[in-house]
Amino acid sequence: MPRQTLAMAAAYTFLVLLAVTGAHGFHIEEATVESIQQGFRNDSLTSVQLVRFYLDRIRGLNPLLRAVIEVNPDALRQAARADAERHRFSSVRFLAAGAGGLLHGVPVLLKDNIATRDALNTTAGSYALLGSVPPRDAGVVSRLRRAGAVVLGKANMDEWANFRSLPGTEGWSARGGQARNPYVLTASPCGSSTGSAIAAATSMAAVTLGTETDGSILCPASLNSVVGIKPTVGLTSRAGVVPVTPRQDTVGPICRTVTDAVHVLDAIVGYDALDAAATGAASKYIPHGGYVQFLKKHGLNGKRIGVPNGFFTYPNGTVQQMVYQQHLNTIREQGAIVIENLDIENLSVILDTLNNGEQFALAAEFKLSLNTSLSDLSYYPVRSLADVIAFNIAHPVEEKLEEIGQLIFLVAENTTGIGATEKAAIDRLNKLSADGLEKLMKEHELDAVMAPNNALSPVLAIGGMPGITVPAGYGALGVPFGLSFGGLRGYEPRLIEMAYAFEQATKVRKPPTFLP
Ligand SMILES: *[C@@H]1O[C@H](CO)[C@@H](O)[C@H](O)[C@H]1NC(C)=O
Ligand SMILES: *[C@@H]1O[C@H](CO)[C@@H](O)[C@H](O)[C@H]1NC(C)=O
Ligand SMILES: *[C@@H]1O[C@H](CO)[C@@H](O)[C@H](O)[C@H]1NC(C)=O
Ligand SMILES: *[C@@H]1O[C@H](CO)[C@@H](O)[C@H](O)[C@H]1NC(C)=O
Ligand SMILES: *[C@@H]1O[C@H](CO)[C@@H](O)[C@H](O)[C@H]1NC(C)=O
Ligand SMILES: CC(=O)N[C@H]1CO[C@H](CO)[C@@H](O)[C@@H]1O
């Protein structure tokens, strides 16, 4: 049997066994954060049982799907502590103490570029960073720990967030191997937050975190039929995250439902002194009382939603064309005002990220940011981009140097900081954003624009703007696709309203099919 078939057979056997022997009163597969908390409260579930379930599931599915790079040897102990805390306090005092939030005792899987100061490594998928020691948890991880979440492990990703080479490494990293789409195993799982999306889709974790510079949450979430929130840049801290650029990087949840994603978002947003400028500037967007209040069943009612030209380009008769058309009708029936035939100025320039200055600016910014982030480590096997390049040359087999190369690294290494040319490129990107989506949304008083999957990502990326993708359907071969809502900086409340109402009106998502 070929290796893939063998692994598939093993995974199927495992799933069947799990279904038969699943001994918990509580059905953990596909469980939501709120049902998990209810299970905790009515004593049908413990955090330890949850962690055991997810660890078993990772053991069974990961040989096939390669969604996880490392599991946390401390996860069961953290879960036991969460269970003990819950039992020690009466619920009122527990809540008053600031603990007992919705993520208390809930296992979270982190993309491998998000630092944890524990037994787990943080490597962006690369052997070059193996053994590095971060001085502290990433800002978002500190917040998760304070909320009582259990750090379950690190998720596979496109190595270096797909910023090593062209054409790239969708779902591949040297340390994690090639991740697979759990719906159609031969289809792209997209990236770079690949493992986070797959793990959420297959219940290898309750909830997960990904990161996005340009498409890395919205794309894998869409293609693995889960919900991804790409927050406004600065809403969530990037401190302790292996960077591409502070101008575009953002950390956000990837989960099975909008509600789960919103609970995670609530836990991770906020000011961080170690990412002071961006989190300081974005903190004005965080609503008093958090984001849960925007989970409104009628959240589409009265919303003005633009449909920019150039995105819904599926030929008549294809599944995508028909399903998206149906969704537009549903969105109208839900009371939204859908405005079609809008043009984002210079859209073709914005989408041409190789030539419009985006990649050019990113290259210079990456070299600087990586250097800063490496020099912040308590122990670092590599100190600079030059060291990482040399590492890949010295480890060509593990790092698949011949096959994948490191062209972006080489281009980035040739840069010498943000000079006049780089500054001009960044100004031009800002202008493209201001004259593009920002102007369009203001002129038409839009609450959001809609597009398939991650099609909006470059438009949102250059403006630091937020987006949410929600499962929208399955193509002729069973490959998932999503519908994304994007908006201006700080538009999370209304994007959440629309995404939630759309999700509740359509309920498209179904668990993975593991088709060959
Ligand atoms: C406890 O809550 C869970 C989650 O809602 C539910 O599935 C389960 O049936 C409940 N069990 C009991 C004993 O009430
Ligand atoms: C982290 O990497 C080291 C190798 O440097 C390995 O021994 C260790 O098991 C890894 N940690 C985890 C949690 O897998
Ligand atoms: C697709 O169908 C629409 C509506 O029926 C029609 O207006 C349009 O011309 C068709 N497009 C193509 C490419 O056939
Ligand atoms: C990298 O950072 C170190 C320490 O902050 C600094 O001394 C060095 O000049 C930087 N190198 C580059 C290439 O920016
Ligand atoms: C880097 O710069 C050197 C010297 O100018 C040049 O020969 C080389 O082609 C450049 N590499 C890349 C990838 O641009
Ligand atoms: C940056 C850029 O390419 N801007 C162009 C946007 O489109 C207008 C015309 O619609 C051009 O004049 C700009 O040069």
Side-chain angles (χ1 to χ4, degrees), residues 89-101:
F89 301 109
S90 74
S91 57
V92 175
R93 277 179 52 203
F94 192 43
L95 282 169

Side-chain angles (χ1 to χ4, degrees), residues 406-415:
Q406 48 181 343
L407 182 60
I408 298 179
F409 278 1
L410 297 175
V411 169
E413 181 55 19
N414 267 4
T415 62

